[in-house]
Tab-separated table of all heavy atoms in Angstrom:
chain	number	residue	atom	x	y	z
C	196	ALA	N	96.932	94.124	105.033
C	196	ALA	CA	96.386	93.282	103.973
C	196	ALA	C	95.767	92.060	104.618
C	196	ALA	O	96.181	91.626	105.705
C	196	ALA	CB	97.503	92.854	103.019
C	198	ASP	N	93.767	88.145	103.362
C	198	ASP	CA	93.592	87.295	102.177
C	198	ASP	C	92.447	86.310	102.357
C	198	ASP	O	92.621	85.233	102.920
C	198	ASP	CB	94.903	86.548	101.888
C	198	ASP	CG	94.895	85.940	100.507
C	198	ASP	OD1	93.853	86.035	99.810
C	198	ASP	OD2	95.931	85.374	100.112
C	200	THR	N	91.148	84.625	100.075
C	200	THR	CA	91.236	83.498	99.129
C	200	THR	C	91.944	82.315	99.786
C	200	THR	O	92.189	81.306	99.132
C	200	THR	CB	91.998	83.897	97.841
C	200	THR	OG1	93.387	84.072	98.154
C	200	THR	CG2	91.449	85.168	97.233
C	201	THR	N	92.303	82.432	101.061
C	201	THR	CA	93.047	81.383	101.766
C	201	THR	C	92.329	81.015	103.066
C	201	THR	O	91.385	81.710	103.473
C	201	THR	CB	94.459	81.874	102.144
C	201	THR	OG1	94.333	82.836	103.192
C	201	THR	CG2	95.179	82.491	100.962
C	224	PRO	N	92.623	94.072	100.373
C	224	PRO	CA	92.521	92.664	99.987
C	224	PRO	C	93.821	92.213	99.321
C	224	PRO	O	94.226	92.794	98.305
C	224	PRO	CB	91.348	92.617	99.000
C	224	PRO	CG	91.115	94.022	98.574
C	224	PRO	CD	91.751	94.949	99.579
C	225	ALA	N	94.474	91.208	99.890
C	225	ALA	CA	95.773	90.782	99.352
C	225	ALA	C	95.613	90.146	97.975
C	225	ALA	O	96.541	90.180	97.164
C	225	ALA	CB	96.452	89.805	100.308
C	226	ASN	N	94.460	89.572	97.705
C	226	ASN	CA	94.221	88.935	96.405
C	226	ASN	C	92.824	89.161	95.830
C	226	ASN	O	92.649	89.121	94.613
C	226	ASN	CB	94.466	87.418	96.505
C	226	ASN	CG	95.954	87.079	96.506
C	226	ASN	OD1	96.691	87.407	95.585
C	226	ASN	ND2	96.413	86.445	97.586
C	229	LYS	N	92.059	91.203	92.689
C	229	LYS	CA	92.952	91.097	91.530
C	229	LYS	C	92.203	90.533	90.326
C	229	LYS	O	91.205	89.818	90.463
C	229	LYS	CB	94.176	90.264	91.894
C	229	LYS	CG	95.121	91.025	92.844
C	229	LYS	CD	96.232	90.159	93.353
C	229	LYS	CE	97.197	90.972	94.236
C	229	LYS	NZ	98.202	90.107	94.894
C	232	TYR	N	90.615	87.051	89.897
C	232	TYR	CA	89.489	86.733	90.773
C	232	TYR	C	88.248	87.547	90.407
C	232	TYR	O	87.129	87.070	90.530
C	232	TYR	CB	89.850	87.025	92.239
C	232	TYR	CG	90.896	86.094	92.787
C	232	TYR	CD1	92.237	86.483	92.856
C	232	TYR	CD2	90.557	84.813	93.221
C	232	TYR	CE1	93.212	85.621	93.347
C	232	TYR	CE2	91.523	83.950	93.715
C	232	TYR	CZ	92.840	84.359	93.772
C	232	TYR	OH	93.803	83.496	94.258
C	262	HIS	N	92.876	97.098	95.576
C	262	HIS	CA	94.152	96.563	95.086
C	262	HIS	C	93.863	95.371	94.193
C	262	HIS	O	93.355	94.387	94.693
C	262	HIS	CB	95.017	96.166	96.289
C	262	HIS	CG	96.348	95.610	95.933
C	262	HIS	ND1	97.423	96.413	95.621
C	262	HIS	CD2	96.795	94.336	95.817
C	262	HIS	CE1	98.473	95.647	95.364
C	262	HIS	NE2	98.120	94.387	95.470
C	263	ASN	N	94.182	95.361	92.933
C	263	ASN	CA	94.668	96.493	92.170
C	263	ASN	C	94.007	96.506	90.801
C	263	ASN	O	93.294	95.557	90.461
C	263	ASN	CB	96.213	96.422	92.041
C	263	ASN	CG	96.679	95.099	91.426
C	263	ASN	OD1	96.211	94.701	90.350
C	263	ASN	ND2	97.587	94.414	92.102
C	266	TRP	N	97.978	94.982	86.630
C	266	TRP	CA	99.223	94.380	87.131
C	266	TRP	C	99.588	93.222	86.211
C	266	TRP	O	98.703	92.580	85.650
C	266	TRP	CB	99.019	93.878	88.567
C	266	TRP	CG	100.231	93.422	89.307
C	266	TRP	CD1	101.496	93.927	89.209
C	266	TRP	CD2	100.285	92.379	90.294
C	266	TRP	NE1	102.328	93.270	90.087
C	266	TRP	CE2	101.609	92.306	90.761
C	266	TRP	CE3	99.339	91.502	90.834
C	266	TRP	CZ2	102.027	91.401	91.727
C	266	TRP	CZ3	99.736	90.597	91.799
C	266	TRP	CH2	101.077	90.549	92.253
C	268	GLU	N	100.836	90.393	87.057
C	268	GLU	CA	100.650	89.070	87.665
C	268	GLU	C	99.182	88.847	88.035
C	268	GLU	O	98.397	89.775	88.092
C	268	GLU	CB	101.503	88.942	88.932
C	268	GLU	CG	102.964	88.723	88.618
C	268	GLU	CD	103.766	88.242	89.816
C	268	GLU	OE1	103.362	88.495	90.948
C	268	GLU	OE2	104.811	87.605	89.583
C	269	GLU	N	98.860	87.587	88.333
C	269	GLU	CA	97.503	87.188	88.733
C	269	GLU	C	96.449	87.689	87.745
C	269	GLU	O	95.414	88.237	88.127
C	269	GLU	CB	97.216	87.616	90.172
C	269	GLU	CG	98.123	86.872	91.152
C	269	GLU	CD	97.782	87.147	92.612
C	269	GLU	OE1	96.856	86.509	93.132
C	269	GLU	OE2	98.452	88.002	93.203
C	307	ASP	N	94.991	101.269	94.144
C	307	ASP	CA	96.231	101.033	93.407
C	307	ASP	C	95.817	100.735	91.966
C	307	ASP	O	95.643	99.573	91.572
C	307	ASP	CB	96.998	99.850	94.009
C	307	ASP	CG	97.500	100.154	95.416
C	307	ASP	OD1	97.835	101.323	95.690
C	307	ASP	OD2	97.556	99.206	96.231
C	310	ASN	N	99.798	98.812	89.186
C	310	ASN	CA	100.675	98.148	90.140
C	310	ASN	C	101.972	97.715	89.461
C	310	ASN	O	101.933	97.051	88.408
C	310	ASN	CB	99.956	96.907	90.715
C	310	ASN	CG	100.486	96.468	92.052
C	310	ASN	OD1	100.799	97.295	92.907
C	310	ASN	ND2	100.578	95.165	92.253
C	311	GLU	N	103.088	98.125	90.026
C	311	GLU	CA	104.424	97.654	89.619
C	311	GLU	C	104.709	97.838	88.121
C	311	GLU	O	105.065	96.876	87.426
C	311	GLU	CB	104.601	96.192	90.061
C	311	GLU	CG	104.426	96.044	91.573
C	311	GLU	CD	104.650	94.620	92.095
C	311	GLU	OE1	104.666	93.677	91.282
C	311	GLU	OE2	104.822	94.463	93.319
C	352	ASN	N	101.410	102.022	92.478
C	352	ASN	CA	102.032	101.314	93.601
C	352	ASN	C	103.240	100.531	93.084
C	352	ASN	O	103.170	99.903	92.022
C	352	ASN	CB	100.975	100.347	94.175
C	352	ASN	CG	101.377	99.649	95.439
C	352	ASN	OD1	101.724	100.290	96.429
C	352	ASN	ND2	101.317	98.317	95.428
C	354	TYR	N	107.506	98.754	94.257
C	354	TYR	CA	108.542	98.467	95.260
C	354	TYR	C	109.885	99.007	94.772
C	354	TYR	O	110.065	99.293	93.585
C	354	TYR	CB	108.639	96.967	95.550
C	354	TYR	CG	108.961	96.106	94.346
C	354	TYR	CD1	110.280	95.787	94.025
C	354	TYR	CD2	107.949	95.607	93.524
C	354	TYR	CE1	110.581	94.996	92.923
C	354	TYR	CE2	108.244	94.820	92.426
C	354	TYR	CZ	109.562	94.517	92.128
C	354	TYR	OH	109.854	93.747	91.029
C	386	GLU	N	105.544	100.169	98.533
C	386	GLU	CA	105.248	98.819	99.039
C	386	GLU	C	106.007	98.504	100.334
C	386	GLU	O	105.442	98.038	101.305
C	386	GLU	CB	105.574	97.771	97.966
C	386	GLU	CG	104.592	97.810	96.814
C	386	GLU	CD	104.738	96.625	95.873
C	386	GLU	OE1	105.415	95.630	96.207
C	386	GLU	OE2	104.161	96.712	94.765
C	388	HIS	N	108.593	96.181	101.121
C	388	HIS	CA	108.967	94.804	101.498
C	388	HIS	C	110.466	94.813	101.785
C	388	HIS	O	111.285	94.674	100.876
C	388	HIS	CB	108.632	93.828	100.368
C	388	HIS	CG	107.172	93.724	100.073
C	388	HIS	ND1	106.275	93.155	100.951
C	388	HIS	CD2	106.433	94.142	99.008
C	388	HIS	CE1	105.053	93.201	100.432
C	388	HIS	NE2	105.128	93.804	99.255
C	416	GLU	N	102.551	98.049	101.754
C	416	GLU	CA	102.710	96.588	101.875
C	416	GLU	C	103.866	96.236	102.811
C	416	GLU	O	104.637	95.312	102.555
C	416	GLU	CB	102.957	95.960	100.494
C	416	GLU	CG	101.880	96.285	99.472
C	416	GLU	CD	102.021	95.538	98.156
C	416	GLU	OE1	102.856	94.606	98.063
C	416	GLU	OE2	101.293	95.884	97.211
C	456	TRP	N	101.714	93.910	105.195
C	456	TRP	CA	101.218	92.929	104.213
C	456	TRP	C	100.897	91.626	104.937
C	456	TRP	O	101.562	90.621	104.820
C	456	TRP	CB	102.216	92.744	103.074
C	456	TRP	CG	101.512	92.231	101.837
C	456	TRP	CD1	101.690	91.029	101.225
C	456	TRP	CD2	100.510	92.919	101.060
C	456	TRP	NE1	100.850	90.917	100.133
C	456	TRP	CE2	100.114	92.071	100.014
C	456	TRP	CE3	99.887	94.184	101.165
C	456	TRP	CZ2	99.146	92.427	99.061
C	456	TRP	CZ3	98.921	94.533	100.217
C	456	TRP	CH2	98.574	93.658	99.186
C	462	TYR	N	100.363	83.749	108.344
C	462	TYR	CA	99.806	83.843	106.989
C	462	TYR	C	100.614	84.755	106.068
C	462	TYR	O	100.116	85.186	105.033
C	462	TYR	CB	98.348	84.314	107.058
C	462	TYR	CG	97.456	83.357	107.814
C	462	TYR	CD1	96.801	83.750	108.977
C	462	TYR	CD2	97.295	82.048	107.364
C	462	TYR	CE1	95.988	82.870	109.672
C	462	TYR	CE2	96.491	81.149	108.057
C	462	TYR	CZ	95.837	81.569	109.208
C	462	TYR	OH	95.039	80.689	109.891
C	463	SER	N	101.837	85.050	106.423
C	463	SER	CA	102.653	85.938	105.584
C	463	SER	C	103.000	85.275	104.252
C	463	SER	O	103.246	84.074	104.186
C	463	SER	CB	103.939	86.273	106.339
C	463	SER	OG	104.842	86.945	105.490
C	464	TRP	N	103.075	86.083	103.215
C	464	TRP	CA	103.455	85.577	101.883
C	464	TRP	C	104.959	85.344	101.777
C	464	TRP	O	105.432	84.743	100.830
C	464	TRP	CB	103.027	86.589	100.807
C	464	TRP	CG	103.904	87.821	100.728
C	464	TRP	CD1	104.226	88.675	101.745
C	464	TRP	CD2	104.584	88.311	99.565
C	464	TRP	NE1	105.050	89.671	101.295
C	464	TRP	CE2	105.279	89.478	99.956
C	464	TRP	CE3	104.650	87.899	98.234
C	464	TRP	CZ2	106.055	90.226	99.060
C	464	TRP	CZ3	105.420	88.647	97.341
C	464	TRP	CH2	106.116	89.799	97.761
C	467	SER	N	106.999	81.633	101.379
C	467	SER	CA	106.804	80.934	100.104
C	467	SER	C	107.373	81.714	98.924
C	467	SER	O	107.493	81.181	97.823
C	467	SER	CB	105.318	80.650	99.878
C	467	SER	OG	104.603	81.863	99.837
C	468	THR	N	107.739	82.969	99.167
C	468	THR	CA	108.226	83.809	98.066
C	468	THR	C	109.733	84.012	98.129
C	468	THR	O	110.405	84.051	97.096
C	468	THR	CB	107.530	85.188	98.101
C	468	THR	OG1	106.121	84.991	98.209
C	468	THR	CG2	107.843	85.998	96.850
X	778	XIL	C1	100.980	88.805	96.769
X	778	XIL	C2	100.030	88.046	97.667
X	778	XIL	O1	100.302	88.347	99.009
X	778	XIL	C3	100.174	86.560	97.426
X	778	XIL	O2	99.189	85.841	98.154
X	778	XIL	C4	100.014	86.260	95.939
X	778	XIL	O3	100.246	84.893	95.716
X	778	XIL	C5	100.988	87.090	95.124
X	778	XIL	O4	100.790	88.450	95.422
X	778	XIL	N1	103.273	93.183	95.520
X	778	XIL	C6	101.919	93.370	95.415
X	778	XIL	C7	100.985	92.391	96.007
X	778	XIL	O5	101.487	94.425	94.923
X	778	XIL	O6	99.780	92.281	95.288
X	778	XIL	C8	101.620	91.039	96.163
X	778	XIL	O7	100.730	90.190	96.876
X	778	XIL	C9	102.958	91.154	96.853
X	778	XIL	C10	103.895	92.001	96.052
Side-chain angles (χ1 to χ4, degrees):
D198 194 356
T200 70
T201 71
N226 283 302
K229 288 172 177 173
Y232 292 99
H262 180 82
N263 56 53
W266 189 34
E268 284 195 336
E269 295 186 82
D307 294 327
N310 203 40
E311 302 183 345
N352 187 56
Y354 59 92
E386 289 191 13
H388 296 291
E416 304 187 10
W456 204 245
Y462 298 118
S463 171
W464 75 306
S467 61
T468 310

